[in-house]
Amino acid sequence: MTAISRRGVCAAGTTIAAMAALRLRPAAARDAVRPALPIPQELRPDARGEIAFTAEAGATSFMPGARTATYGYNGPFLGPALRLRRGETVTIDFTNNLPVPTTVHWHGLVIPGDVDGGPHRPVAPGQHWRPALSVDQPAATLWFHPHFYPTTAAQVTKGLAGLLIIDDEDADRLALPSRWGVNDIPLIIQDRRFGEDGQFFDRMNITAVTSGYVGDVPLVNGVRYPEARVARGWARLRLLDGSNARSYMLTASDGRPLFVIGSDGGLLESPVELKQIMIHAGERFEIMVDCRSGAPFDLVTLPVGEPIMRLPPFDDSVPLVTIRPDGADMPGQLPASLANLPQTPAELPPISQQLVMKMFRDEEGMMPLMKAGLAMGKSGKIDAAVIARVTKLIVDQPELSEAAQLSANGVNGRPFALDEPLFAAPRNQPLRWRISEGDDQMLHPVHIHGCQFRILSERGQPPEAYRAGWKDIAPISAGGYSDILVSFPYPADPHAPYMAHCHILEHEDSGMMAQFTVA
């Protein structure tokens, strides 16, 4: 990644002191030396229509005095931004230089199952994979990440994630901010927890398979509370919730409006003005903010509903990144209209597929947290003694055996089985599916491969306007459900099926995933 500020990183200190410093600092501390926001390098196809990149092991400094073992694409942590255009076919020349097998899933790209990069397409250490990706969908902010079962969560925690940007002529004509790293700013938001040795904490215990990964250090593009020096004018922020499990309620520190222009699969019909935007694991939203005054602001996350996700520092507003528009004036505007989306049919097809997320060991996972004093369904600050007891459970509970891990969760009453497709879907037909969780109360952002869909309803009500565009993740919680309208234009056979799964990666890696074919 390249940086968009000349300022240095934080001053040195001991490892333990630095870990404490990584936690919440007041946004008002403007005079402190701040790390620059790293900007992922853009990778475009070469003259042969190819993009080459590798997965590799490395080490990254997240705090003074410590080097954390990490994975990355074309570098030690995270990866480049692949730039593709609608209508082109690009061959990816991927090499796995990791010591473990991996896959590369093109999250949100509508392509056949045999190039989708799911768990059936592992790439062994030292081996290559050369999928040809034919791009036929609107301009959008997508991403890529591993999908190796059952260690997707561990590989993402180590750092494997990158952006995949689709451009097209329709978006080009809108004169949106488009100078990469200047007024078109990618923001990959994640959370991590560090051990006293400076290494990432990562343990698949009963709390993890129930609640997901609970970090206590927010990172943006791999850096703690960076500063983005951007142009004056309208700024375009491409948001990716790249966390394993955490959701974020994002707002501007000075209350300026956020104009949502795009969701997972592309631009909305028109901008949606919000003061706050909720984003769940795996989701992307594009927002525009008015920076013509030159006044800086922080992008801040506010406390969310799940009690375990409100442990400090996330029990209060947390500044994630400072946007400082002190550059030259740049062109770019907020259009009144953005994209023409197909109208929902007046007569919907009947529900042809139910996907019910199921947790088989949630009581076993939740009871220790409740006994520790974590109150379900309550907001507000958590008592310090409760925080200490819950943190001890997160960190000290023993790792589950593989058999216990793989049977902890499921879809439609069954844990995931690599060699057993759960159902078949017809190709090129509008389908109405219902995604639900029965009597479960947990959040599940459900991702479906091989498509972009429209959310018809959430709990029987129309979706919020900023979720009414193209989506590949439908969040459900509190016993709710979502109905979606979906179509699959490409085949997926039993040897390379599509996946439908919760994008809380610890849920996915413990059985909350189903595979299906399309023919």
Side-chain angles (χ1 to χ4, degrees):
M1 290 189 181
T2 58
I4 61 173
S5 168
R6 294 185 295 275
R7 299 193 181 187
V9 297
C10 296
T14 65
T15 299
I16 295 176
M19 287 169 57
L22 273 169
R23 289 166 172 80
L24 179 62
R25 276 188 298 169
R30 304 292 187 188
D31 54 345
V33 177
R34 298 284 300 285
L37 178 75
I39 298 297
Q41 177 192 7
E42 296 176 281
L43 282 187
R44 301 177 188 271
D46 62 18
R48 298 172 298 173
E50 296 189 2
I51 294 177
F53 74 101
T54 64
E56 54 197 67
T60 304
S61 293
F62 296 98
M63 62 190 76
R67 297 279 286 171
T68 304
T70 54
Y71 291 165
Y73 296 114
N74 282 10
F77 190 71
L78 299 180
L82 309 186
R83 299 294 299 234
L84 311 181
R85 285 196 70 86
R86 186 173 193 173
E88 66 183 5
T89 297
V90 178
T91 298
I92 303 294
D93 185 4
F94 172 71
T95 304
N96 180 15
N97 288 332
L98 298 173
V100 295
T102 191
T103 75
V104 185
H105 169 53
W106 317 105
H107 183 127
L109 197 59
V110 183
I111 47 179
D114 61 353
V115 292
D116 181 63
H120 294 76
R121 284 291 180 265
V123 183
Q127 297 300 304
H128 301 264
W129 184 45
R130 288 177 56 84
L133 308 180
S134 294
V135 182
D136 186 18
Q137 62 193 96
T141 300
L142 313 179
W143 65 306
F144 59 97
H145 59 80
H147 215 301
F148 187 79
Y149 192 72
T151 60
T152 296
Q155 293 188 13
V156 172
T157 298
K158 287 276 241 180
L160 290 182
L163 292 169
L164 193 161
I165 310 295
I166 298 178
D167 300 302
D168 70 7
E169 292 181 358
D170 291 338
D172 293 344
R173 285 192 287 266
L174 291 172
L176 297 168
S178 59
R179 285 286 301 276
W180 189 248
V182 178
N183 62 359
D184 185 356
I185 311 298
L187 299 176
I188 302 173
I189 306 171
Q190 300 175 303
D191 66 325
R192 294 292 187 272
R193 180 178 292 272
F194 293 85
E196 291 189 0
D197 59 356
Q199 303 306 306
F200 289 137
F201 169 78
D202 181 27
R203 181 175 296 171
M204 192 67 86
N205 54 27
I206 190 64
T207 296
V209 300
T210 304
S211 300
Y213 190 93
V214 184
D216 60 356
V217 175
L219 301 174
V220 179
N221 294 2
V223 173
R224 172 71 177 101
Y225 191 31
E227 181 178 61
R229 309 292 289 271
V230 306
R232 287 177 182 251
W234 284 95
R236 178 185 193 176
L237 308 181
R238 298 180 188 257
L239 307 174
L240 162 62
D241 184 346
S243 297
N244 289 31
R246 184 175 295 280
S247 301
Y248 300 89
M249 178 67 82
L250 302 176
T251 189
S253 59
D254 60 0
R256 73 182 69 192
L258 311 175
F259 295 90
V260 187
I261 63 168
S263 56
D264 296 339
L267 296 174
L268 303 178
E269 289 187 317
S270 59
V272 177
E273 181 178 350
L274 298 174
K275 287 294 188 180
Q276 302 173 352
I277 180 171
M278 178 70 83
I279 183 170
H280 300 292
E283 287 189 310
R284 290 87 59 214
F285 290 102
E286 295 186 33
I287 65 174
M288 287 180 61
V289 288
D290 188 349
C291 296
R292 289 175 291 183
S293 71
F297 69 96
D298 282 350
L299 188 66
V300 171
T301 185
L302 304 175
V304 297
E306 300 87 352
I308 200 168
M309 294 299 177
R310 286 189 282 105
L311 298 180
F314 296 101
D315 58 341
D316 203 344
S317 62
V318 180
L320 299 176
V321 58
T322 297
I323 307 297
R324 187 175 295 279
D326 58 0
D329 291 337
M330 291 289 294
Q333 60 187 9
L334 179 66
S337 298
L338 294 165
N340 293 318
L341 302 183
Q343 295 297 308
T344 302
E347 186 173 342
L348 293 171
I351 294 172
S352 59
Q353 183 63 51
Q354 300 259 7
L355 294 173
V356 183
M357 306 298 115
K358 179 63 178 175
M359 305 184 73
F360 302 122
R361 304 184 67 175
D362 54 334
E363 184 173 349
E364 181 183 350
M366 295 306 298
M367 285 306 296
L369 298 174
M370 297 174 68
K371 289 179 179 179
L374 192 66
M376 301 298 112
K378 289 188 177 181
S379 59
K381 295 281 188 175
I382 301 173
D383 181 79
V386 174
I387 292 169
R389 291 193 293 267
V390 171
T391 301
K392 183 174 177 61
L393 289 172
I394 293 170
V395 173
D396 290 348
Q397 281 179 329
E399 189 157 351
L400 295 174
S401 68
E402 184 171 277
Q405 173 188 328
L406 300 188
S407 61
N409 295 306
V411 177
N412 290 5
R414 295 169 53 184
F416 178 72
L418 195 61
D419 57 351
E420 296 179 15
L422 189 62
F423 61 91
R427 185 177 172 187
N428 286 324
Q429 290 187 28
L431 305 171
R432 184 180 172 196
W433 287 10
R434 175 162 292 180
I435 303 167
S436 64
E437 57 179 346
D439 58 2
D440 188 6
Q441 297 294 305
M442 295 288 291
L443 168 70
H444 300 298
V446 178
H447 173 51
I448 301 174
H449 293 207
C451 66
Q452 287 290 333
F453 55 74
R454 303 285 294 280
I455 298 177
L456 297 171
S457 64
E458 296 175 321
R459 296 175 174 272
Q461 300 299 315
E464 294 181 79
Y466 78 101
R467 295 184 176 276
W470 291 115
K471 294 281 295 165
D472 53 56
I473 288 181
I476 56 172
S477 63
Y481 65 91
S482 286
D483 285 356
I484 66 171
L485 186 65
V486 62
S487 179
F488 298 95
Y490 297 110
D493 65 32
H495 302 290
Y498 290 136
M499 302 292 123
H501 61 88
C502 178
H503 219 281
I504 291 176
L505 299 182
E506 289 74 22
H507 289 178
E508 171 188 327
D509 276 346
S510 57
M512 197 175 290
M513 180 161 62
Q515 57 184 319
F516 63 98
T517 60
V518 174

